[in-house]
Amino acid sequence: MPSTTTPAPAISIRALEKSYKKLSVLRGVDFDVDRGSIFALLGPNGAGKTTIVNILSTLLKADAGAAAVNGFDVASDAAHVRESISLTGQFAAVDEILTGRENLILVARLRHQPDPGGIADGLLERFSLTDAGSRKVATYSGGMRRRLDIAMSLIGQPPVIFLDEPTAGLDPQARLEVWAAVRELARNGTTVLLTTQTLDEAEHLADRIAILNEGRIVVNGTLDELKRLLPPAKVEYVEKQPTLEDVFLALTSDATKELP
């Protein structure tokens, strides 16, 4: 019989530690992210989410532990890691003076891609921005800017993309637009590591969710697995299944430090 091998994770982290002087931010973080999946890293402010992204994107060095992206070690093979990823932060990195199409063409040229115009047109269509492509980005809504920012990050077809709180500051309609764009990434085979403080964002998008609290992963699983950590509540004799918010608050409260 032919042997079947499980593909290596797109992202792998083992015993990752990071401190800033006397402040310990990461205290032995472990998790894997499957290829082509959406993995949500959920946690309160100061939990260490952005620190993890910065280490994975080679912007920051870990104090201890190991991390690999697309099979490349972030410490010893940083150049190949950078070729494998794209990073989109909390604010859209777009040039408001240029049109949407000009922004895409500019990035394609900077990355030495063939046919920058064709790449731009394809991404405008993919992210439903064709009609706005000839308009200056200054006229775009918040959701349109974020979608354009994500489109720009895909130039060069990186297999892994980090989205650090991509819907921060957006209105509800703009958030839905960005969510649709993120789902489109996964459908096309891109691995997405999403950091967020928004519980419904993780609930709606992620294949797996890890909750980071005080520098440690306190739980890692699918939404259904996380919900099973808490018993259903009875409201007027009817069972109410726990929400992701219930799980998050239970695992990050001062009274609860360990898994049940």
Side-chain angles (χ1 to χ4, degrees), residues 9-14 31-33 56 66-69:
I11 300 169
S12 182
I13 288 179
R14 293 291 178 270
F31 64 79
D32 291 330
V33 180
L56 291 173
V69 177

PDB file of all heavy atoms in Angstrom, residues 9-14 31-33 56 66-69:
ATOM      1  N   PRO A   9       3.125  21.272   9.365  1.00  0.00           N
ATOM      2  CA  PRO A   9       2.310  22.467   9.616  1.00  0.00           C
ATOM      3  C   PRO A   9       2.893  23.694   8.914  1.00  0.00           C
ATOM      4  O   PRO A   9       4.109  23.792   8.701  1.00  0.00           O
ATOM      5  CB  PRO A   9       2.379  22.640  11.140  1.00  0.00           C
ATOM      6  CG  PRO A   9       2.805  21.314  11.675  1.00  0.00           C
ATOM      7  CD  PRO A   9       3.654  20.694  10.619  1.00  0.00           C
ATOM      8  N   ALA A  10       2.026  24.615   8.560  1.00  0.00           N
ATOM      9  CA  ALA A  10       2.497  25.865   7.967  1.00  0.00           C
ATOM     10  C   ALA A  10       3.249  26.700   9.007  1.00  0.00           C
ATOM     11  O   ALA A  10       4.195  27.424   8.675  1.00  0.00           O
ATOM     12  CB  ALA A  10       1.321  26.660   7.408  1.00  0.00           C
ATOM     13  N   ILE A  11       2.817  26.609  10.254  1.00  0.00           N
ATOM     14  CA  ILE A  11       3.459  27.331  11.363  1.00  0.00           C
ATOM     15  C   ILE A  11       3.607  26.358  12.523  1.00  0.00           C
ATOM     16  O   ILE A  11       2.667  25.624  12.843  1.00  0.00           O
ATOM     17  CB  ILE A  11       2.620  28.547  11.813  1.00  0.00           C
ATOM     18  CG1 ILE A  11       2.435  29.544  10.664  1.00  0.00           C
ATOM     19  CG2 ILE A  11       3.261  29.241  13.009  1.00  0.00           C
ATOM     20  CD1 ILE A  11       1.410  30.624  10.963  1.00  0.00           C
ATOM     21  N   SER A  12       4.764  26.343  13.135  1.00  0.00           N
ATOM     22  CA  SER A  12       4.998  25.476  14.284  1.00  0.00           C
ATOM     23  C   SER A  12       5.783  26.247  15.343  1.00  0.00           C
ATOM     24  O   SER A  12       6.817  26.848  15.043  1.00  0.00           O
ATOM     25  CB  SER A  12       5.774  24.226  13.871  1.00  0.00           C
ATOM     26  OG  SER A  12       5.955  23.356  14.974  1.00  0.00           O
ATOM     27  N   ILE A  13       5.284  26.240  16.565  1.00  0.00           N
ATOM     28  CA  ILE A  13       5.923  26.957  17.677  1.00  0.00           C
ATOM     29  C   ILE A  13       6.089  25.999  18.841  1.00  0.00           C
ATOM     30  O   ILE A  13       5.158  25.264  19.196  1.00  0.00           O
ATOM     31  CB  ILE A  13       5.059  28.163  18.112  1.00  0.00           C
ATOM     32  CG1 ILE A  13       5.109  29.269  17.059  1.00  0.00           C
ATOM     33  CG2 ILE A  13       5.525  28.709  19.449  1.00  0.00           C
ATOM     34  CD1 ILE A  13       4.263  30.464  17.413  1.00  0.00           C
ATOM     35  N   ARG A  14       7.269  25.991  19.434  1.00  0.00           N
ATOM     36  CA  ARG A  14       7.542  25.134  20.579  1.00  0.00           C
ATOM     37  C   ARG A  14       8.279  25.912  21.671  1.00  0.00           C
ATOM     38  O   ARG A  14       9.340  26.492  21.433  1.00  0.00           O
ATOM     39  CB  ARG A  14       8.414  23.936  20.167  1.00  0.00           C
ATOM     40  CG  ARG A  14       7.718  22.952  19.235  1.00  0.00           C
ATOM     41  CD  ARG A  14       6.604  22.190  19.941  1.00  0.00           C
ATOM     42  NE  ARG A  14       5.912  21.284  19.039  1.00  0.00           N
ATOM     43  CZ  ARG A  14       4.853  21.624  18.313  1.00  0.00           C
ATOM     44  NH1 ARG A  14       4.368  22.853  18.386  1.00  0.00           N
ATOM     45  NH2 ARG A  14       4.277  20.728  17.532  1.00  0.00           N
ATOM     46  N   PHE A  31       2.090  25.813  19.677  1.00  0.00           N
ATOM     47  CA  PHE A  31       0.938  25.505  18.829  1.00  0.00           C
ATOM     48  C   PHE A  31       1.402  25.278  17.400  1.00  0.00           C
ATOM     49  O   PHE A  31       2.497  25.676  16.994  1.00  0.00           O
ATOM     50  CB  PHE A  31      -0.153  26.582  18.882  1.00  0.00           C
ATOM     51  CG  PHE A  31       0.223  27.945  18.350  1.00  0.00           C
ATOM     52  CD1 PHE A  31       0.248  28.211  16.982  1.00  0.00           C
ATOM     53  CD2 PHE A  31       0.514  28.995  19.222  1.00  0.00           C
ATOM     54  CE1 PHE A  31       0.569  29.466  16.496  1.00  0.00           C
ATOM     55  CE2 PHE A  31       0.840  30.258  18.748  1.00  0.00           C
ATOM     56  CZ  PHE A  31       0.856  30.499  17.373  1.00  0.00           C
ATOM     57  N   ASP A  32       0.559  24.589  16.625  1.00  0.00           N
ATOM     58  CA  ASP A  32       0.768  24.369  15.199  1.00  0.00           C
ATOM     59  C   ASP A  32      -0.416  24.950  14.437  1.00  0.00           C
ATOM     60  O   ASP A  32      -1.534  24.999  14.959  1.00  0.00           O
ATOM     61  CB  ASP A  32       0.871  22.872  14.868  1.00  0.00           C
ATOM     62  CG  ASP A  32       2.138  22.228  15.408  1.00  0.00           C
ATOM     63  OD1 ASP A  32       3.157  22.940  15.515  1.00  0.00           O
ATOM     64  OD2 ASP A  32       2.099  21.026  15.720  1.00  0.00           O
ATOM     65  N   VAL A  33      -0.155  25.355  13.193  1.00  0.00           N
ATOM     66  CA  VAL A  33      -1.213  25.845  12.309  1.00  0.00           C
ATOM     67  C   VAL A  33      -1.161  25.021  11.026  1.00  0.00           C
ATOM     68  O   VAL A  33      -0.129  24.980  10.347  1.00  0.00           O
ATOM     69  CB  VAL A  33      -1.032  27.341  11.980  1.00  0.00           C
ATOM     70  CG1 VAL A  33      -2.153  27.810  11.049  1.00  0.00           C
ATOM     71  CG2 VAL A  33      -1.009  28.181  13.262  1.00  0.00           C
ATOM     72  N   LEU A  56       7.380  35.476  14.585  1.00  0.00           N
ATOM     73  CA  LEU A  56       7.162  34.645  13.404  1.00  0.00           C
ATOM     74  C   LEU A  56       7.521  35.363  12.111  1.00  0.00           C
ATOM     75  O   LEU A  56       7.918  34.729  11.134  1.00  0.00           O
ATOM     76  CB  LEU A  56       5.703  34.188  13.346  1.00  0.00           C
ATOM     77  CG  LEU A  56       5.267  33.182  14.413  1.00  0.00           C
ATOM     78  CD1 LEU A  56       3.766  32.950  14.334  1.00  0.00           C
ATOM     79  CD2 LEU A  56       6.016  31.860  14.245  1.00  0.00           C
ATOM     80  N   ALA A  66      11.553  27.524  19.871  1.00  0.00           N
ATOM     81  CA  ALA A  66      11.754  27.417  18.431  1.00  0.00           C
ATOM     82  C   ALA A  66      10.461  27.743  17.703  1.00  0.00           C
ATOM     83  O   ALA A  66       9.367  27.520  18.219  1.00  0.00           O
ATOM     84  CB  ALA A  66      12.226  26.017  18.055  1.00  0.00           C
ATOM     85  N   ALA A  67      10.597  28.274  16.485  1.00  0.00           N
ATOM     86  CA  ALA A  67       9.435  28.584  15.649  1.00  0.00           C
ATOM     87  C   ALA A  67       9.832  28.394  14.201  1.00  0.00           C
ATOM     88  O   ALA A  67      10.949  28.733  13.794  1.00  0.00           O
ATOM     89  CB  ALA A  67       8.959  30.009  15.895  1.00  0.00           C
ATOM     90  N   ALA A  68       8.904  27.846  13.417  1.00  0.00           N
ATOM     91  CA  ALA A  68       9.144  27.631  11.991  1.00  0.00           C
ATOM     92  C   ALA A  68       7.919  28.067  11.207  1.00  0.00           C
ATOM     93  O   ALA A  68       6.783  27.880  11.655  1.00  0.00           O
ATOM     94  CB  ALA A  68       9.452  26.165  11.700  1.00  0.00           C
ATOM     95  N   VAL A  69       8.162  28.654  10.044  1.00  0.00           N
ATOM     96  CA  VAL A  69       7.095  29.086   9.147  1.00  0.00           C
ATOM     97  C   VAL A  69       7.382  28.518   7.766  1.00  0.00           C
ATOM     98  O   VAL A  69       8.479  28.704   7.224  1.00  0.00           O
ATOM     99  CB  VAL A  69       7.005  30.625   9.075  1.00  0.00           C
ATOM    100  CG1 VAL A  69       5.928  31.054   8.080  1.00  0.00           C
ATOM    101  CG2 VAL A  69       6.721  31.214  10.445  1.00  0.00           C
TER     102      VAL A  69
END
